[in-house]
């Protein structure tokens, strides 16, 4: 009897269709983390304006070599090209998602976090756009802390 009830309850669970991600930013950061750890030269990510801005910040801060957008009909894909050092070590050591859909994290202009004592960056979404923590501090802006990169 208990197994029949468990099976009936399992049928009523709603699952997201394949390909739909509840947190696209976390998906992008996870793809970057995994392909960087596997030493791939590049990674492809579904493109959006926010993801393009995050990639722009990573390029401006010197964590990736570049990025470009490839259009395949109605879908756009962003290709992120990793930077590597001559001794085959990677520039990106770690990536962590901070603010997520279940728990948003905001920082005032006086509370912008320092990552690894200033060796990493915090990616913030401010009223003036997506920028690094250092840039937000210079402009005197606070905002949503999207991720840490070191």
């Amino acid at each position: 009897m208990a197994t029949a009830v468990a099976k009936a309850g399992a049928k009523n669970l709603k699952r997201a269709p394949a390909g739909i991600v509840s947190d696209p930013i976390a998906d992008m950061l996870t793809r970057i983390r995994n392909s960087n750890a596997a030493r791939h030269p590049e990674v492809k990510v579904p493109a959006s304006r926010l993801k393009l801005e995050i990639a722009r910040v990573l390029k401006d801060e010197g964590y990736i070599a570049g990025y470009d957008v490839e259009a395949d009909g109605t879908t756009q894909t962003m290709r992120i090209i990793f930077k590597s050092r001559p001794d085959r070590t990677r520039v990106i050591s770690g990536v962590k998602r901070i603010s997520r859909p279940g728990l948003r994290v905001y920082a005032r202009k006086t509370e912008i976090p320092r990552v690894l004592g200033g060796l990493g960056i915090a990616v913030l979404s401010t009223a003036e756009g997506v920028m690094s923590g250092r840039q937000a501090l210079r402009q005197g802006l606070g905002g949503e802390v999207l991720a840490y990169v070191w």
Side-chain angles (χ1 to χ4, degrees):
M1 278 266 191
T3 57
V5 172
K7 287 182 182 176
K11 290 180 183 176
N12 293 335
L13 291 176
K14 291 186 179 180
R15 293 190 179 139
I20 296 178
V21 181
S22 63
D23 190 3
I25 305 303
D27 178 60
M28 173 188 168
L29 296 175
T30 300
R31 287 180 193 219
I32 289 173
R33 185 184 310 112
N34 290 343
S35 58
N36 189 43
R39 300 195 180 280
H40 291 290
E42 62 185 37
V43 64
K44 291 189 177 182
V45 180
S48 71
R49 282 192 301 173
L50 184 58
K51 290 180 193 177
L52 287 169
E53 288 298 310
I54 292 171
R56 181 191 53 78
V57 169
L58 292 178
K59 184 177 183 321
D60 291 346
E61 293 291 326
Y63 285 98
I64 60 173
Y67 65 95
D68 58 348
V69 179
E70 302 167 354
D72 303 329
T74 60
T75 61
Q76 288 186 337
T77 306
M78 177 172 51
R79 185 171 61 109
I80 299 173
I81 303 148
F82 293 117
K83 215 182 224 188
S84 62
R85 297 186 183 127
D87 58 350
R88 289 186 41 91
T89 58
R90 292 297 184 165
V91 174
I92 297 176
S93 301
V95 179
K96 185 176 183 185
R97 174 79 155 123
I98 302 301
S99 184
R100 49 192 174 86
L103 180 65
R104 300 290 185 185
V105 177
Y106 297 95
R108 291 189 175 108
K109 65 179 182 179
T110 57
E111 300 169 348
I112 294 174
R114 291 183 53 171
V115 181
L116 290 180
L119 296 177
I121 62 165
V123 180
L124 273 74
S125 175
T126 67
E128 299 293 320
V130 178
M131 59 184 71
S132 69
R134 284 188 210 106
Q135 194 176 4
L137 192 63
R138 267 188 248 118
Q139 293 185 11
L141 296 169
E144 183 179 359
V145 183
L146 297 176
Y148 293 158
V149 181
W150 65 93

